[in-house]
Amino acid sequence: AQKITQTQPGMFVQEKEAVTLDCTYDTSDPSYGLFWYKQPSSGEMIFLIYQGSYDQQNATEGRYSLNFQKARKSANLVISASQLGDSAMYFCAMRAMGGSQGNLIFGKGTKLSVKP
Amino acid sequence: NAGVTQTPKFQVLKTGQSMTLQCAQDMNHNSMYWYRQDPGMGLRLIYYSASEGTTDKGEVPNGYNVSRLNKREFSLRLESAAPSQTSVYFCASSERVRVYSNQPQHFGDGTRLSIL
């Protein structure tokens, strides 16, 4: 079965420090994509970063980077130099074939709180 | 620069009432989706439309119907609302992508629906 697991319901980080949000996934498909979304308290879903299963390098987008460990089936989001505006829910999602027919499967999310 | 527009933003219904949630996108995307978000559950796919003229069930379709009115619009209907359908509903759209495509889904701001 295809599944995304985010084991940290909540995380705290001090402003200006780096933080890692964990995501593990389960799929038997060799081709898949992993996405991270941010949901601030206002409720909208904001796309942050993407990692493809065949990508040789870890994805980076500004202060966001992915620590992609394919053998461990993990795709952890690293936020560098945390800012107060980073306080939000963060969702990891996977696109694979199999039962999901290429649709996104979401984890339950991690609530990040940045302390001043 | 509207992207995905959902109406209404908030709604309160009584058990047994019916309602249609509207969604429109202006990005010329082929695929559209309806999700529900419940506390601690992440986003779960209700229905999707891979292209104009097609609709398919997602993970939690019971109690809902959808209509892909044209390429821009995808509506979600609750025929007889139940308290268990109290949730935040998100519409999303994307290019019709292959599994390993880096194209994300773009989300609307959500509809907060309460059923008493």
Side-chain angles (χ1 to χ4, degrees):
Chain A
Q2 299 179 336
K3 190 177 180 181
I4 291 283
T5 302
Q6 295 180 256
T7 57
Q8 306 154 313
M11 289 277 289
F12 288 91
V13 65
Q14 203 69 36
E15 192 179 9
K16 299 181 184 179
E17 292 184 349
V19 62
T20 298
L21 306 183
D22 294 343
C23 173
T24 59
Y25 59 91
D26 188 14
T27 180
S28 57
D29 294 321
S31 298
Y32 52 88
L34 296 155
F35 299 79
W36 277 90
Y37 284 85
K38 173 184 178 181
Q39 186 179 42
S41 58
S42 50
E44 70 270 30
M45 295 286 288
I46 302 166
F47 166 66
L48 295 178
I49 195 167
Y50 166 85
Q51 180 82 45
S53 59
Y54 295 118
D55 292 344
Q56 295 298 311
Q57 294 188 340
N58 287 342
T60 60
E61 288 287 349
R63 292 187 299 110
Y64 304 109
S65 61
L66 258 171
N67 182 3
F68 181 48
Q69 299 188 44
K70 196 170 181 177
R72 295 186 176 185
K73 294 190 173 180
S74 72
N76 298 338
L77 177 70
V78 180
I79 305 174
S80 62
S82 296
Q83 302 172 355
L84 296 178
D86 293 334
S87 293
M89 284 290 291
Y90 289 82
F91 292 95
C92 180
M94 176 175 66
R95 173 184 287 145
M97 283 306 293
S100 73
Q101 300 182 41
N103 292 316
L104 288 181
I105 300 168
F106 284 84
K108 294 183 178 181
T110 294
K111 184 174 182 179
L112 178 65
S113 299
V114 180
K115 297 188 288 185
Chain B
N1 198 16
V4 180
T5 302
Q6 291 184 234
T7 55
K9 296 190 184 304
F10 302 93
Q11 186 70 48
V12 179
L13 293 178
K14 294 181 179 179
T15 298
Q17 287 185 318
S18 62
M19 172 162 191
T20 299
L21 308 185
Q22 306 287 352
C23 175
Q25 53 90 10
D26 63 2
M27 294 174 282
N28 202 35
H29 284 163
N30 287 299
S31 300
M32 298 186 73
Y33 312 83
W34 276 106
Y35 294 89
R36 61 178 288 173
Q37 183 181 22
D38 302 297
M41 296 294 293
L43 277 74
R44 293 182 293 170
L45 184 65
I46 304 171
Y47 270 93
Y48 66 101
S49 172
S51 61
E52 187 179 355
T54 68
T55 61
D56 286 288
K57 295 178 180 179
E59 180 186 356
V60 288
N62 290 347
Y64 305 95
N65 286 301
V66 291
S67 295
R68 184 73 182 267
L69 305 171
N70 48 55
K71 191 172 185 179
R72 291 186 62 248
E73 298 173 288
F74 189 39
S75 63
L76 178 72
R77 184 161 178 84
L78 287 70
E79 289 290 353
S80 178
S84 61
Q85 295 177 304
T86 293
S87 189
V88 180
Y89 290 86
F90 285 97
C91 178
S93 71
S94 71
E95 292 291 341
R96 188 172 188 180
V97 298
R98 296 176 180 230
V99 168
Y100 45 82
S101 167
N102 64 356
Q103 294 299 310
Q105 291 182 9
H106 300 265
F107 286 79
D109 289 341
T111 295
R112 284 150 183 79
L113 183 61
S114 294
I115 299 163
L116 307 177

